[in-house]
Amino acid sequence: MIAHLFNAPLGESETAVGVGTVGSSEAIMLAGLAFKRKWQNKRKAEGKPCDQPNIVTGANVQVCWEKFARYFEVELKEVKLREGYYVMDPEKAVEMVDENTICVAAILGSTLNGEFEDVKLLNDLLTKKNKETGWDTPIHVDAASGGFIAPFIYPDLEWDFRLPLVKSINVSGHKYGLVYAGIGWVIWRSKEDLPEELIFHINYLGADQPTFTLNFSKGSSQVIAQYYQLIRLGYEGYKNVMENCRDNMLVLKEGLELTCRFDIISKDIGVPLVAFSLKDNSTHNEFEVSDMLRRFGWIVPAYTMPPDAQHITVLRVVIREDFSRTLAERLVNDIQKVMHELETVPCKVCARISISGDGDNEQHGAVVVKKTALQTQREITTIWRKFVMEKKKMNGVC
């Protein structure tokens, strides 16, 4: 069912090639192993060295890609980000591809801002390079978040097996697949893309049972839940859920824009989330906003972007099925309250307190004792701590 959703080129009676995993992390490990083994087999057959494999990704990849590279001894070549462009640049990615590249990993729904990377452009550029060099470098799509979104609300977007270089796709069932935590999927384009030597066959359960996994004993409840959801909701049901998430995302985005305090980092087309940063963080930053929102019961993470955009700090709100329009409006109101409160407390630079004495005294020749930086910082910290303690006494939310 998932292979058909991703437009896998299957014949009438052909069985899809894939496996259920523990989240997308295991799925990425398995897909990466398949690429590495296939590349090694080809290099050995050509009599060439196969001890320096690499993967090309954007610096915005999830940490599981770094785990794969470190655990399985593959060099991770990252395309750096830049201000205003927070996903992998396909042109720069293709430039980094060499004969040791086992695959290029594209992300359909970046963790940082929810943006879909341009997989079609990557496919076209890589096809051209493969023809020029004689290589056959493939693409893996990390669709952990976007795999259950794009097919339903962006059906014309070409990112999946409709592109010939896309050989495998992973997706998380416990994100927008609407299943509780613990389930992921990896689908291969065809049997030829999954080396047979990685698959183990057992028959002690009464029939041939192929297995390709890094985990072992695991319950089947999440698999059953995914099957149930696909049957119960169907295409139209998933489409309605995803459209509702997108609409609520737009409500939140528009509400934040009306405050005139934030720059929106996320895109309208992508994972339904809103990533935003302060237009002016000279007095208070995004980490303080995140901390203050916890007192209203919200957990809104603040984080810095990867290189070379690490000077950009972002707040992110992910819109799930149970995040209603009412909650979106309430969050905007609470953010406005937080910003108002932050404006009434000492800022991190000047603390809005007298630091060097009164100007009139200077005019009358009075001696003004300048405070040291350490004394100023201690005074600011004391006032801030006092303010926070007073708020805790008044607020019952912990």
Side-chain angles (χ1 to χ4, degrees):
M1 295 171 78
I2 298 173
H4 281 300
L5 189 66
F6 296 161
N7 294 293
L10 300 175
E12 282 290 330
S13 58
E14 189 176 356
T15 303
V17 181
V19 62
T21 60
V22 180
S24 277
S25 294
E26 185 191 5
I28 285 168
M29 302 287 174
L30 298 180
L33 278 174
F35 282 119
K36 181 181 178 183
R37 184 59 60 90
K38 191 172 182 181
W39 174 84
Q40 286 176 326
N41 291 343
K42 182 182 178 183
R43 297 282 290 183
K44 288 176 182 177
E46 295 172 346
K48 297 178 180 178
C50 58
D51 58 340
Q52 294 183 321
N54 67 68
I55 283 183
V56 176
T57 71
N60 55 315
V61 291
Q62 219 264 357
V63 70
C64 59
W65 282 99
E66 297 178 30
K67 288 183 179 180
F68 167 77
R70 192 176 302 178
Y71 294 168
F72 296 101
E73 298 180 330
V74 176
E75 180 189 0
L76 192 66
K77 299 172 71 172
E78 294 184 339
V79 178
K80 304 299 182 185
L81 309 184
R82 61 180 185 270
E83 186 172 350
Y85 196 92
Y86 303 112
V87 293
M88 179 179 70
D89 186 331
E91 293 186 0
K92 292 183 179 179
V94 172
E95 289 174 4
M96 296 175 72
V97 170
D98 58 33
E99 62 179 354
N100 294 322
T101 302
I102 64 175
C103 79
V104 180
I107 304 177
L108 193 77
S110 172
T111 301
L112 301 177
N113 69 343
E115 187 174 350
F116 291 167
E117 294 182 345
D118 194 340
V119 187
K120 188 177 188 309
L121 177 58
L122 176 64
N123 178 85
D124 295 343
L125 294 173
L126 195 54
T127 298
K128 182 180 179 182
K129 184 161 188 173
N130 284 343
K131 287 181 179 179
E132 294 172 351
T133 59
W135 305 333
D136 58 353
T137 307
I139 295 172
H140 174 85
V141 179
D142 180 357
S145 297
F148 277 111
I149 295 171
F152 301 109
I153 55 178
Y154 309 114
D156 296 329
L157 181 68
E158 294 185 38
W159 63 273
D160 51 18
F161 292 122
R162 286 171 288 182
L163 304 175
L165 289 184
V166 174
K167 303 299 183 181
S168 56
I169 299 172
N170 70 274
V171 65
S172 292
H174 60 224
K175 289 181 180 169
Y176 288 91
L178 309 181
V179 180
Y180 41 87
I183 186 67
W185 306 94
V186 57
I187 309 293
W188 282 272
R189 185 184 191 87
S190 65
K191 292 181 180 179
E192 291 72 29
D193 297 308
L194 176 56
E196 180 64 30
E197 65 262 34
L198 293 177
I199 304 173
F200 292 84
H201 294 267
I202 58 174
N203 64 2
Y204 54 74
L205 295 178
D208 179 62
Q209 181 72 44
T211 175
F212 178 34
T213 175
L214 295 179
N215 289 281
F216 301 94
S217 299
K218 175 182 179 293
S220 62
S221 59
Q222 293 100 339
V223 177
I224 295 170
Q226 183 75 83
Y227 186 45
Y228 170 77
Q229 289 285 61
L230 290 172
I231 292 174
R232 174 181 177 270
L233 294 174
Y235 185 89
E236 289 300 322
Y238 269 90
K239 181 181 179 181
N240 290 338
V241 171
M242 301 311 156
E243 286 179 343
N244 187 59
C245 290
R246 180 190 59 191
D247 293 345
N248 289 331
M249 175 269 291
L250 293 173
V251 169
L252 177 59
K253 175 195 169 187
E254 291 165 4
L256 291 172
E257 288 176 332
L258 288 174
T259 67
C260 300
R261 299 175 184 269
F262 301 100
D263 289 320
I264 305 299
I265 305 299
S266 52
K267 306 293 184 181
D268 288 349
I269 297 179
V271 177
L273 64 78
V274 182
F276 54 102
S277 61
L278 287 167
K279 288 185 176 181
D280 179 12
N281 60 4
S282 60
T283 55
H284 295 287
N285 61 33
E286 290 80 1
F287 292 100
E288 291 173 281
V289 175
S290 175
D291 179 63
M292 293 284 282
L293 279 171
R294 286 177 177 267
R295 301 187 183 109
F296 290 88
W298 297 101
I299 299 177
V300 179
Y303 50 89
T304 54
M305 288 290 191
D308 286 331
Q310 60 266 38
H311 59 287
I312 304 296
T313 306
V314 173
L315 291 153
R316 184 192 64 198
V317 179
V318 179
I319 311 301
R320 296 293 297 270
E321 181 186 14
D322 57 350
F323 191 93
S324 65
R325 182 188 181 105
T326 301
L327 281 176
E329 293 171 348
R330 176 185 160 192
L331 177 56
V332 172
N333 290 334
D334 287 344
I335 289 174
Q336 288 179 312
K337 292 176 186 176
V338 164
M339 296 306 300
H340 177 73
E341 289 192 14
L342 284 173
E343 289 172 353
T344 64
V345 301
C347 71
K348 62 185 178 184
V349 178
C350 62
R352 295 180 187 170
I353 57 175
S354 176
I355 292 178
S356 59
D358 185 271
D360 292 338
N361 289 336
E362 290 181 1
Q363 293 177 1
H364 290 86
V367 177
V368 177
V369 179
K370 298 281 186 179
K371 295 182 181 179
T372 66
L374 180 59
Q375 289 174 324
T376 302
Q377 185 60 45
R378 284 175 176 172
E379 192 165 353
I380 294 172
T381 303
T382 300
I383 295 173
W384 174 262
R385 186 180 292 117
K386 181 180 178 182
F387 172 82
V388 171
M389 293 305 295
E390 288 176 351
K391 287 294 178 183
K392 282 185 176 181
K393 291 177 184 178
M394 297 168 58
N395 197 331
V397 178
C398 60

